[in-house]
PDB file of all heavy atoms in Angstrom:
ATOM      1  N   LEU A   1     -57.589 -21.222  35.817  1.00 92.00           N
ATOM      2  CA  LEU A   1     -56.168 -21.529  35.583  1.00 92.00           C
ATOM      3  C   LEU A   1     -55.529 -22.201  36.798  1.00 92.00           C
ATOM      4  O   LEU A   1     -54.743 -23.133  36.660  1.00 92.00           O
ATOM      5  CB  LEU A   1     -55.399 -20.256  35.215  1.00 92.00           C
ATOM      6  CG  LEU A   1     -55.601 -19.754  33.795  1.00 92.00           C
ATOM      7  CD1 LEU A   1     -55.038 -18.357  33.637  1.00 92.00           C
ATOM      8  CD2 LEU A   1     -54.972 -20.701  32.791  1.00 92.00           C
ATOM      9  N   ILE A   2     -55.897 -21.743  37.976  1.00 94.00           N
ATOM     10  CA  ILE A   2     -55.347 -22.332  39.203  1.00 94.00           C
ATOM     11  C   ILE A   2     -55.897 -23.739  39.430  1.00 94.00           C
ATOM     12  O   ILE A   2     -55.150 -24.688  39.660  1.00 94.00           O
ATOM     13  CB  ILE A   2     -55.624 -21.433  40.429  1.00 94.00           C
ATOM     14  CG1 ILE A   2     -54.822 -20.131  40.308  1.00 94.00           C
ATOM     15  CG2 ILE A   2     -55.266 -22.157  41.712  1.00 94.00           C
ATOM     16  CD1 ILE A   2     -55.229 -19.060  41.314  1.00 94.00           C
ATOM     17  N   GLU A   3     -57.231 -23.862  39.336  1.00 94.00           N
ATOM     18  CA  GLU A   3     -57.863 -25.143  39.630  1.00 94.00           C
ATOM     19  C   GLU A   3     -57.561 -26.221  38.588  1.00 94.00           C
ATOM     20  O   GLU A   3     -57.234 -27.349  38.945  1.00 94.00           O
ATOM     21  CB  GLU A   3     -59.368 -24.963  39.767  1.00 94.00           C
ATOM     22  CG  GLU A   3     -59.760 -24.181  41.006  1.00 94.00           C
ATOM     23  CD  GLU A   3     -61.245 -23.877  41.082  1.00 94.00           C
ATOM     24  OE1 GLU A   3     -62.003 -24.225  40.148  1.00 94.00           O
ATOM     25  OE2 GLU A   3     -61.668 -23.265  42.096  1.00 94.00           O
ATOM     26  N   LYS A   4     -57.645 -25.880  37.323  1.00 93.00           N
ATOM     27  CA  LYS A   4     -57.499 -26.875  36.254  1.00 93.00           C
ATOM     28  C   LYS A   4     -56.050 -27.099  35.844  1.00 93.00           C
ATOM     29  O   LYS A   4     -55.636 -28.226  35.570  1.00 93.00           O
ATOM     30  CB  LYS A   4     -58.323 -26.451  35.044  1.00 93.00           C
ATOM     31  CG  LYS A   4     -58.340 -27.469  33.929  1.00 93.00           C
ATOM     32  CD  LYS A   4     -59.299 -27.089  32.831  1.00 93.00           C
ATOM     33  CE  LYS A   4     -59.333 -28.148  31.740  1.00 93.00           C
ATOM     34  NZ  LYS A   4     -60.268 -27.816  30.683  1.00 93.00           N
ATOM     35  N   TYR A   5     -55.260 -26.018  35.790  1.00 93.00           N
ATOM     36  CA  TYR A   5     -53.907 -26.120  35.249  1.00 93.00           C
ATOM     37  C   TYR A   5     -52.803 -25.868  36.288  1.00 93.00           C
ATOM     38  O   TYR A   5     -51.632 -25.981  35.965  1.00 93.00           O
ATOM     39  CB  TYR A   5     -53.734 -25.120  34.095  1.00 93.00           C
ATOM     40  CG  TYR A   5     -54.653 -25.353  32.947  1.00 93.00           C
ATOM     41  CD1 TYR A   5     -55.803 -24.582  32.787  1.00 93.00           C
ATOM     42  CD2 TYR A   5     -54.386 -26.353  32.013  1.00 93.00           C
ATOM     43  CE1 TYR A   5     -56.663 -24.787  31.723  1.00 93.00           C
ATOM     44  CE2 TYR A   5     -55.247 -26.568  30.943  1.00 93.00           C
ATOM     45  CZ  TYR A   5     -56.386 -25.780  30.804  1.00 93.00           C
ATOM     46  OH  TYR A   5     -57.228 -25.993  29.757  1.00 93.00           O
ATOM     47  N   LYS A   6     -53.190 -25.478  37.522  1.00 95.00           N
ATOM     48  CA  LYS A   6     -52.194 -25.163  38.578  1.00 95.00           C
ATOM     49  C   LYS A   6     -51.251 -24.046  38.139  1.00 95.00           C
ATOM     50  O   LYS A   6     -50.050 -24.080  38.395  1.00 95.00           O
ATOM     51  CB  LYS A   6     -51.386 -26.409  38.976  1.00 95.00           C
ATOM     52  CG  LYS A   6     -52.211 -27.587  39.416  1.00 95.00           C
ATOM     53  CD  LYS A   6     -52.940 -27.306  40.715  1.00 95.00           C
ATOM     54  CE  LYS A   6     -53.716 -28.511  41.201  1.00 95.00           C
ATOM     55  NZ  LYS A   6     -55.135 -28.294  41.278  1.00 95.00           N
ATOM     56  N   LEU A   7     -51.799 -23.023  37.467  1.00 95.00           N
ATOM     57  CA  LEU A   7     -50.999 -21.920  36.929  1.00 95.00           C
ATOM     58  C   LEU A   7     -51.410 -20.577  37.506  1.00 95.00           C
ATOM     59  O   LEU A   7     -52.597 -20.325  37.720  1.00 95.00           O
ATOM     60  CB  LEU A   7     -51.139 -21.853  35.408  1.00 95.00           C
ATOM     61  CG  LEU A   7     -50.597 -23.021  34.611  1.00 95.00           C
ATOM     62  CD1 LEU A   7     -50.827 -22.791  33.126  1.00 95.00           C
ATOM     63  CD2 LEU A   7     -49.116 -23.239  34.886  1.00 95.00           C
ATOM     64  N   ILE A   8     -50.418 -19.733  37.726  1.00 96.00           N
ATOM     65  CA  ILE A   8     -50.642 -18.339  38.069  1.00 96.00           C
ATOM     66  C   ILE A   8     -49.697 -17.495  37.220  1.00 96.00           C
ATOM     67  O   ILE A   8     -48.740 -18.023  36.648  1.00 96.00           O
ATOM     68  CB  ILE A   8     -50.421 -18.059  39.571  1.00 96.00           C
ATOM     69  CG1 ILE A   8     -48.986 -18.414  39.982  1.00 96.00           C
ATOM     70  CG2 ILE A   8     -51.431 -18.795  40.441  1.00 96.00           C
ATOM     71  CD1 ILE A   8     -48.648 -17.982  41.400  1.00 96.00           C
ATOM     72  N   PHE A   9     -49.971 -16.206  37.163  1.00 96.00           N
ATOM     73  CA  PHE A   9     -49.132 -15.292  36.406  1.00 96.00           C
ATOM     74  C   PHE A   9     -48.522 -14.262  37.346  1.00 96.00           C
ATOM     75  O   PHE A   9     -49.137 -13.849  38.321  1.00 96.00           O
ATOM     76  CB  PHE A   9     -49.945 -14.555  35.338  1.00 96.00           C
ATOM     77  CG  PHE A   9     -50.455 -15.443  34.248  1.00 96.00           C
ATOM     78  CD1 PHE A   9     -51.808 -15.666  34.088  1.00 96.00           C
ATOM     79  CD2 PHE A   9     -49.578 -16.068  33.372  1.00 96.00           C
ATOM     80  CE1 PHE A   9     -52.285 -16.473  33.084  1.00 96.00           C
ATOM     81  CE2 PHE A   9     -50.037 -16.885  32.374  1.00 96.00           C
ATOM     82  CZ  PHE A   9     -51.393 -17.093  32.224  1.00 96.00           C
ATOM     83  N   ALA A  10     -47.296 -13.832  37.021  1.00 96.00           N
ATOM     84  CA  ALA A  10     -46.634 -12.783  37.790  1.00 96.00           C
ATOM     85  C   ALA A  10     -45.910 -11.864  36.819  1.00 96.00           C
ATOM     86  O   ALA A  10     -45.325 -12.321  35.837  1.00 96.00           O
ATOM     87  CB  ALA A  10     -45.615 -13.405  38.752  1.00 96.00           C
ATOM     88  N   VAL A  11     -45.946 -10.570  37.103  1.00 97.00           N
ATOM     89  CA  VAL A  11     -45.224  -9.610  36.274  1.00 97.00           C
ATOM     90  C   VAL A  11     -43.727  -9.817  36.540  1.00 97.00           C
ATOM     91  O   VAL A  11     -43.275  -9.774  37.679  1.00 97.00           O
ATOM     92  CB  VAL A  11     -45.647  -8.159  36.580  1.00 97.00           C
ATOM     93  CG1 VAL A  11     -44.759  -7.170  35.849  1.00 97.00           C
ATOM     94  CG2 VAL A  11     -47.108  -7.958  36.212  1.00 97.00           C
ATOM     95  N   LYS A  12     -42.991 -10.044  35.472  1.00 97.00           N
ATOM     96  CA  LYS A  12     -41.546 -10.250  35.575  1.00 97.00           C
ATOM     97  C   LYS A  12     -40.776  -8.978  35.236  1.00 97.00           C
ATOM     98  O   LYS A  12     -39.756  -8.668  35.827  1.00 97.00           O
ATOM     99  CB  LYS A  12     -41.115 -11.381  34.645  1.00 97.00           C
ATOM    100  CG  LYS A  12     -39.631 -11.687  34.674  1.00 97.00           C
ATOM    101  CD  LYS A  12     -39.330 -12.938  33.884  1.00 97.00           C
ATOM    102  CE  LYS A  12     -37.871 -13.251  33.743  1.00 97.00           C
ATOM    103  NZ  LYS A  12     -37.101 -13.328  34.921  1.00 97.00           N
ATOM    104  N   ASN A  13     -41.298  -8.220  34.265  1.00 97.00           N
ATOM    105  CA  ASN A  13     -40.617  -7.026  33.818  1.00 97.00           C
ATOM    106  C   ASN A  13     -41.642  -6.046  33.276  1.00 97.00           C
ATOM    107  O   ASN A  13     -42.638  -6.464  32.690  1.00 97.00           O
ATOM    108  CB  ASN A  13     -39.598  -7.397  32.722  1.00 97.00           C
ATOM    109  CG  ASN A  13     -38.737  -6.241  32.312  1.00 97.00           C
ATOM    110  OD1 ASN A  13     -39.212  -5.343  31.635  1.00 97.00           O
ATOM    111  ND2 ASN A  13     -37.488  -6.266  32.718  1.00 97.00           N
ATOM    112  N   LEU A  14     -41.373  -4.757  33.452  1.00 97.00           N
ATOM    113  CA  LEU A  14     -42.305  -3.729  33.014  1.00 97.00           C
ATOM    114  C   LEU A  14     -41.542  -2.509  32.556  1.00 97.00           C
ATOM    115  O   LEU A  14     -40.653  -2.030  33.256  1.00 97.00           O
ATOM    116  CB  LEU A  14     -43.232  -3.366  34.186  1.00 97.00           C
ATOM    117  CG  LEU A  14     -44.134  -2.164  34.008  1.00 97.00           C
ATOM    118  CD1 LEU A  14     -45.273  -2.485  33.053  1.00 97.00           C
ATOM    119  CD2 LEU A  14     -44.674  -1.751  35.351  1.00 97.00           C
ATOM    120  N   LYS A  15     -41.907  -2.028  31.359  1.00 98.00           N
ATOM    121  CA  LYS A  15     -41.396  -0.741  30.866  1.00 98.00           C
ATOM    122  C   LYS A  15     -42.624   0.126  30.606  1.00 98.00           C
ATOM    123  O   LYS A  15     -43.536  -0.293  29.871  1.00 98.00           O
ATOM    124  CB  LYS A  15     -40.625  -0.923  29.569  1.00 98.00           C
ATOM    125  CG  LYS A  15     -39.400  -1.758  29.681  1.00 98.00           C
ATOM    126  CD  LYS A  15     -38.778  -1.966  28.304  1.00 98.00           C
ATOM    127  CE  LYS A  15     -37.716  -3.049  28.362  1.00 98.00           C
ATOM    128  NZ  LYS A  15     -37.249  -3.432  27.032  1.00 98.00           N
ATOM    129  N   ILE A  16     -42.665   1.312  31.196  1.00 98.00           N
ATOM    130  CA  ILE A  16     -43.863   2.132  31.054  1.00 98.00           C
ATOM    131  C   ILE A  16     -43.479   3.592  30.765  1.00 98.00           C
ATOM    132  O   ILE A  16     -42.493   4.088  31.290  1.00 98.00           O
ATOM    133  CB  ILE A  16     -44.759   2.017  32.311  1.00 98.00           C
ATOM    134  CG1 ILE A  16     -46.116   2.675  32.070  1.00 98.00           C
ATOM    135  CG2 ILE A  16     -44.076   2.565  33.552  1.00 98.00           C
ATOM    136  CD1 ILE A  16     -47.187   2.271  33.065  1.00 98.00           C
ATOM    137  N   ASN A  17     -44.277   4.200  29.929  1.00 98.00           N
ATOM    138  CA  ASN A  17     -44.128   5.627  29.605  1.00 98.00           C
ATOM    139  C   ASN A  17     -45.446   6.335  29.889  1.00 98.00           C
ATOM    140  O   ASN A  17     -46.490   5.899  29.403  1.00 98.00           O
ATOM    141  CB  ASN A  17     -43.741   5.832  28.135  1.00 98.00           C
ATOM    142  CG  ASN A  17     -42.347   5.381  27.828  1.00 98.00           C
ATOM    143  OD1 ASN A  17     -41.411   5.687  28.545  1.00 98.00           O
ATOM    144  ND2 ASN A  17     -42.214   4.610  26.757  1.00 98.00           N
ATOM    145  N   TYR A  18     -45.357   7.397  30.648  1.00 98.00           N
ATOM    146  CA  TYR A  18     -46.528   8.231  30.958  1.00 98.00           C
ATOM    147  C   TYR A  18     -46.425   9.486  30.101  1.00 98.00           C
ATOM    148  O   TYR A  18     -45.490  10.255  30.244  1.00 98.00           O
ATOM    149  CB  TYR A  18     -46.546   8.617  32.437  1.00 98.00           C
ATOM    150  CG  TYR A  18     -46.617   7.445  33.383  1.00 98.00           C
ATOM    151  CD1 TYR A  18     -45.473   6.926  33.981  1.00 98.00           C
ATOM    152  CD2 TYR A  18     -47.840   6.859  33.683  1.00 98.00           C
ATOM    153  CE1 TYR A  18     -45.544   5.859  34.861  1.00 98.00           C
ATOM    154  CE2 TYR A  18     -47.911   5.785  34.563  1.00 98.00           C
ATOM    155  CZ  TYR A  18     -46.760   5.298  35.150  1.00 98.00           C
ATOM    156  OH  TYR A  18     -46.830   4.239  36.023  1.00 98.00           O
ATOM    157  N   MET A  19     -47.394   9.688  29.194  1.00 98.00           N
ATOM    158  CA  MET A  19     -47.352  10.841  28.298  1.00 98.00           C
ATOM    159  C   MET A  19     -48.239  11.982  28.756  1.00 98.00           C
ATOM    160  O   MET A  19     -47.830  13.128  28.709  1.00 98.00           O
ATOM    161  CB  MET A  19     -47.734  10.436  26.876  1.00 98.00           C
ATOM    162  CG  MET A  19     -46.608   9.775  26.107  1.00 98.00           C
ATOM    163  SD  MET A  19     -46.267   8.102  26.620  1.00 98.00           S
ATOM    164  CE  MET A  19     -47.284   7.193  25.519  1.00 98.00           C
ATOM    165  N   LYS A  20     -49.456  11.642  29.148  1.00 98.00           N
ATOM    166  CA  LYS A  20     -50.430  12.658  29.557  1.00 98.00           C
ATOM    167  C   LYS A  20     -51.236  12.125  30.731  1.00 98.00           C
ATOM    168  O   LYS A  20     -51.435  10.900  30.843  1.00 98.00           O
ATOM    169  CB  LYS A  20     -51.397  12.983  28.406  1.00 98.00           C
ATOM    170  CG  LYS A  20     -50.771  13.720  27.255  1.00 98.00           C
ATOM    171  CD  LYS A  20     -51.844  14.105  26.249  1.00 98.00           C
ATOM    172  CE  LYS A  20     -51.235  15.021  25.209  1.00 98.00           C
ATOM    173  NZ  LYS A  20     -52.254  15.750  24.494  1.00 98.00           N
ATOM    174  N   PRO A  21     -51.750  13.005  31.570  1.00 98.00           N
ATOM    175  CA  PRO A  21     -52.561  12.541  32.693  1.00 98.00           C
ATOM    176  C   PRO A  21     -54.001  12.230  32.290  1.00 98.00           C
ATOM    177  O   PRO A  21     -54.475  12.675  31.243  1.00 98.00           O
ATOM    178  CB  PRO A  21     -52.526  13.736  33.658  1.00 98.00           C
ATOM    179  CG  PRO A  21     -52.370  14.916  32.752  1.00 98.00           C
ATOM    180  CD  PRO A  21     -51.527  14.437  31.598  1.00 98.00           C
ATOM    181  N   SER A  22     -54.673  11.485  33.126  1.00 98.00           N
ATOM    182  CA  SER A  22     -56.116  11.326  33.011  1.00 98.00           C
ATOM    183  C   SER A  22     -56.736  11.801  34.317  1.00 98.00           C
ATOM    184  O   SER A  22     -56.057  11.937  35.325  1.00 98.00           O
ATOM    185  CB  SER A  22     -56.512   9.876  32.671  1.00 98.00           C
ATOM    186  OG  SER A  22     -56.006   8.978  33.619  1.00 98.00           O
ATOM    187  N   TYR A  23     -58.047  12.052  34.259  1.00 98.00           N
ATOM    188  CA  TYR A  23     -58.703  12.765  35.337  1.00 98.00           C
ATOM    189  C   TYR A  23     -59.983  12.061  35.788  1.00 98.00           C
ATOM    190  O   TYR A  23     -60.521  11.195  35.078  1.00 98.00           O
ATOM    191  CB  TYR A  23     -59.056  14.189  34.882  1.00 98.00           C
ATOM    192  CG  TYR A  23     -57.857  14.968  34.395  1.00 98.00           C
ATOM    193  CD1 TYR A  23     -57.516  14.994  33.053  1.00 98.00           C
ATOM    194  CD2 TYR A  23     -57.060  15.665  35.295  1.00 98.00           C
ATOM    195  CE1 TYR A  23     -56.408  15.693  32.594  1.00 98.00           C
ATOM    196  CE2 TYR A  23     -55.946  16.384  34.854  1.00 98.00           C
ATOM    197  CZ  TYR A  23     -55.633  16.380  33.520  1.00 98.00           C
ATOM    198  OH  TYR A  23     -54.528  17.083  33.076  1.00 98.00           O
ATOM    199  N   LEU A  24     -60.460  12.474  36.908  1.00 97.00           N
ATOM    200  CA  LEU A  24     -61.710  11.976  37.468  1.00 97.00           C
ATOM    201  C   LEU A  24     -62.805  11.996  36.398  1.00 97.00           C
ATOM    202  O   LEU A  24     -62.959  12.969  35.674  1.00 97.00           O
ATOM    203  CB  LEU A  24     -62.115  12.856  38.657  1.00 97.00           C
ATOM    204  CG  LEU A  24     -63.405  12.501  39.362  1.00 97.00           C
ATOM    205  CD1 LEU A  24     -63.305  11.117  40.014  1.00 97.00           C
ATOM    206  CD2 LEU A  24     -63.728  13.539  40.423  1.00 97.00           C
ATOM    207  N   ASP A  25     -63.523  10.887  36.293  1.00 97.00           N
ATOM    208  CA  ASP A  25     -64.646  10.676  35.373  1.00 97.00           C
ATOM    209  C   ASP A  25     -64.272  10.433  33.919  1.00 97.00           C
ATOM    210  O   ASP A  25     -65.158  10.225  33.080  1.00 97.00           O
ATOM    211  CB  ASP A  25     -65.692  11.815  35.453  1.00 97.00           C
ATOM    212  CG  ASP A  25     -66.479  11.769  36.738  1.00 97.00           C
ATOM    213  OD1 ASP A  25     -66.689  10.672  37.291  1.00 97.00           O
ATOM    214  OD2 ASP A  25     -66.877  12.848  37.216  1.00 97.00           O
TER     215      ASP A  25
END
């Protein structure tokens, strides 16, 4: 994308909900 189209992406906005945890493995 950078080499051929001169494009990059950036996060503009984020909404997140954490419901339950995850654990090692």
Side-chain angles (χ1 to χ4, degrees):
L1 284 168
I2 292 169
E3 291 174 357
K4 185 173 181 179
Y5 299 101
K6 304 293 183 242
L7 295 179
I8 60 173
F9 293 115
V11 173
K12 181 172 174 54
N13 187 287
L14 170 74
K15 297 175 193 171
I16 190 163
N17 290 313
Y18 299 97
M19 280 73 93
K20 291 185 171 198
S22 57
Y23 303 93
L24 180 64
D25 288 330

